[in-house]
Amino acid sequence: MVTRTRHHVNFYDTDAMAVVHHANYIRWFEIGRVDFLRAAGITLGELMEDGYVFPITEVSAKYVSPGRFDDMLVIVTKPASLTRVKMAFDYEIRREADDGLLVTGHTQNVFTNRATGKITRLPEKYYDKLKAALAE
């Protein structure tokens, strides 16, 4: 399954050069990731209520072209890999008007016990949904 999330660039997302500040793309990866989980039938709220959190252990981004104030973007989120203890995602952020590629990225997240902070195996309740989404 691949998700596509629309996001409007706000003025506060830009820097003194009137382009999107590079740190915002990392935040937008998270928006895409949360939408991917939601599309797979999982909410972060439910995960946390069940005692799991999903922190990032790796992140990378390649900046191709600048985004600007008022651009409508599309955050493309693709699952890259899944095990019972971690999941990785690949991203593309594109300008909707011309499908121009702005940034590509990658994150790896681990499933962690919320109370102890230790990496843990994801239960079937969530793993099966993610495995099905990966197969789509």
Side-chain angles (χ1 to χ4, degrees), residues 54-84:
F54 196 43
I56 290 178
T57 56
E58 293 178 18
V59 63
S60 64
K62 180 177 180 182
Y63 302 95
V64 178
S65 181
R68 301 191 184 279
F69 168 65
D70 229 17
D71 281 347
M72 180 58 72
L73 306 180
V74 177
I75 305 162
V76 181
T77 306
K78 305 171 190 175
S81 63
L82 171 69
T83 70
R84 289 201 181 273

Side-chain angles (χ1 to χ4, degrees), residues 91-107:
Y91 308 89
E92 292 179 351
I93 298 184
R94 296 182 166 275
R95 187 174 21 260
E96 187 177 65
D98 62 0
D99 199 36
L101 180 63
L102 305 181
V103 173
T104 61
H106 179 82
T107 61

Side-chain angles (χ1 to χ4, degrees), residues 4-110:
R4 287 174 172 76
T5 306
R6 295 178 80 226
H7 182 78
H8 198 231
V9 176
N10 296 295
F11 182 73
Y12 61 79
D13 293 324
T14 62
D15 61 18
M17 295 178 289
V19 299
V20 171
H21 187 272
H22 65 276
N24 287 308
Y25 293 103
I26 305 302
R27 291 181 331 120
W28 297 340
F29 293 168
E30 182 173 353
I31 290 171
R33 193 169 51 254
V34 170
D35 279 353
F36 177 89
L37 293 175
R38 191 176 291 116
I42 299 169
T43 67
L44 285 182
E46 181 185 18
L47 267 174
M48 289 190 298
E49 286 173 15
D50 284 349
Y52 300 94
V53 289
F54 196 43
I56 290 178
T57 56
E58 293 178 18
V59 63
S60 64
K62 180 177 180 182
Y63 302 95
V64 178
S65 181
R68 301 191 184 279
F69 168 65
D70 229 17
D71 281 347
M72 180 58 72
L73 306 180
V74 177
I75 305 162
V76 181
T77 306
K78 305 171 190 175
S81 63
L82 171 69
T83 70
R84 289 201 181 273
V85 298
K86 66 183 175 182
M87 186 168 189
F89 296 90
D90 291 326
Y91 308 89
E92 292 179 351
I93 298 184
R94 296 182 166 275
R95 187 174 21 260
E96 187 177 65
D98 62 0
D99 199 36
L101 180 63
L102 305 181
V103 173
T104 61
H106 179 82
T107 61
Q108 178 179 279
N109 299 64
V110 294

